[in-house]
Amino acid sequence: MPFNIFFKPPKHEPAEMTGLIKISGFDNPKRCGDVIFVHGLGGHARGTWHPQELRDDDNFWLTWLGQERPDLGIWSFGYKAEPFEWRGSTMPLFDRASNLLEYLQVNDVGKYPIIFITHSMGGLLIKEMLRNAQTFKKTAVIEQTKGIVFLSTPHTGSHLANLVDKIGIVARSSISVDELKVHIPQLRQLNEWYRQNVDSLEIATKVYFETKPTKGFLVVDADSSNPAIKDVQPTATDDDHLSITKPTSTNNLVYKGVSQFIKQQLLINLSIVEQSIPKAKENNFSVIF
């Protein structure tokens, strides 16, 4: 669990749960865009987004979006970002950003418009990846990125990361925790870069933040979750740092808001959507979709 300081011994991580995980619509050559979910510290490509944190169950909001928008490719990026060294290796944010950029390129992501849905450190990773793409002139991904949703992203750091670091005197906290400490210059610099470039890059921004503590701690407060983008008002949720990523139904505020945001940024390919709707049998008055 992200920022949970009471960890269980790590389980073996299947190789297919790292890198770009294919959820739905990824092989459709006529799709009108790609939606990529990016988890945070200690997260999982599937479990982070599932209401019960199940890793092998398809009844969660990534597949719901795929059913709602069959004209989109739905992906999830899985990567190792552990809080303590004993749980496994982790990369500095800069290195992970170049790693993600390579995954996008080798999977031909960049041919279609892109929306990133990010949680916690995942939002910092996407900003770092875009800055990396700009520096090294990887134009396809940066030009195709049309929007980013930040779910409880600590744009200026998290106080809990400082607490975990103190515990890390014994347990040896990882580089990922060091990079999440509140008010470190690197995070301020990254956020200033994003604010300075978001308009010229024509990237729409949507922000949600937690209002409930997780195990007694407010992991990302309202101030840190606000990237301070002009005309972007962060939305408070009745969630903690973990539940904000786990809508239990399509009526959930975050689910409906993200779905609407995607519609606003990516046009609907009606021909694909219509093909996916089952035809009614004769004398039927309705079709269950």
Side-chain angles (χ1 to χ4, degrees):
M1 288 185 180
F3 286 104
N4 184 355
I5 61 177
F6 304 103
F7 294 104
K8 296 178 181 179
K11 296 179 180 179
H12 175 68
E13 183 74 15
E16 64 270 16
M17 286 294 103
T18 58
L20 271 182
I21 310 304
K22 300 172 179 178
I23 304 297
S24 68
F26 50 85
D27 55 353
N28 190 339
K30 296 183 179 180
R31 65 186 186 273
C32 63
D34 289 303
V35 178
I36 302 173
F37 287 74
V38 185
H39 66 73
L41 183 68
H44 186 270
R46 294 176 65 94
T48 290
W49 314 102
H50 194 283
Q52 287 81 45
E53 298 190 357
L54 300 179
R55 302 181 176 191
D56 57 356
D57 181 72
D58 286 334
N59 187 23
F60 67 138
W61 67 304
L62 278 67
T63 58
W64 303 341
L65 280 173
Q67 293 165 3
E68 179 184 328
R69 291 293 304 274
D71 59 336
L72 296 177
I74 309 294
W75 312 70
S76 183
F77 181 63
Y79 62 103
K80 301 293 287 185
E82 300 296 351
F84 298 116
E85 290 185 359
W86 64 267
R87 283 183 57 86
S89 60
T90 185
M91 288 186 190
L93 201 60
F94 176 81
D95 293 334
R96 181 58 70 188
S98 62
N99 173 261
L100 168 57
L101 188 57
E102 183 69 9
Y103 268 113
L104 296 176
Q105 291 182 315
V106 299
N107 284 277
D108 292 326
V109 176
K111 290 183 177 180
Y112 308 92
I114 305 169
I115 300 287
F116 290 102
I117 314 299
T118 70
H119 177 231
S120 195
M121 192 182 79
L124 306 178
L125 173 57
I126 293 305
K127 291 194 297 183
E128 186 66 57
M129 183 276 293
L130 291 172
R131 183 166 65 172
N132 184 303
Q134 184 187 68
T135 300
F136 292 96
K137 297 180 172 56
K138 305 292 181 68
T139 58
V141 170
I142 198 166
E143 289 177 356
Q144 291 285 29
T145 299
K146 304 303 179 185
I148 303 175
V149 177
F150 295 109
L151 303 176
S152 289
T153 291
H155 298 281
T156 57
S158 169
H159 290 286
L160 191 55
N162 295 64
L163 174 61
V164 171
D165 185 57
K166 291 179 181 179
I167 297 173
I169 293 174
V170 176
R172 293 185 63 84
S173 59
S174 70
I175 182 65
S176 294
V177 169
D178 293 338
E179 292 181 321
L180 288 173
K181 293 177 184 176
V182 69
H183 301 316
I184 66 169
Q186 291 90 332
L187 291 187
R188 295 203 311 272
Q189 183 185 47
L190 179 61
N191 201 43
E192 288 175 3
W193 173 86
Y194 186 72
R195 288 203 306 265
Q196 192 71 16
N197 287 271
V198 67
D199 285 341
S200 61
L201 297 178
E202 299 182 334
I203 298 175
T205 303
K206 184 80 173 175
V207 178
Y208 292 94
F209 65 95
E210 67 207 59
T211 58
K212 292 183 178 180
T214 305
K215 296 187 180 297
F217 296 96
L218 191 65
V219 177
V220 180
D221 61 34
D223 290 335
S224 185
S225 66
N226 189 350
I229 307 299
K230 180 183 177 182
D231 298 328
V232 175
Q233 182 180 23
T235 300
T237 71
D238 292 308
D239 290 298
D240 62 28
H241 193 68
L242 303 180
S243 66
I244 197 170
T245 67
K246 299 170 174 55
T248 56
S249 77
T250 56
N251 289 322
N252 174 273
L253 176 65
V254 171
Y255 179 89
K256 292 179 75 70
V258 169
S259 176
Q260 182 183 68
F261 179 78
I262 293 172
K263 290 176 183 176
Q264 291 169 344
Q265 309 309 321
L266 302 181
L267 297 176
I268 296 177
N269 189 329
L270 291 176
S271 63
I272 295 178
V273 173
E274 289 172 353
Q275 290 173 10
S276 70
I277 300 176
K279 295 182 179 180
K281 295 181 179 180
E282 188 176 358
N283 296 327
N284 275 5
F285 292 99
S286 64
V287 176
I288 297 176
F289 178 54

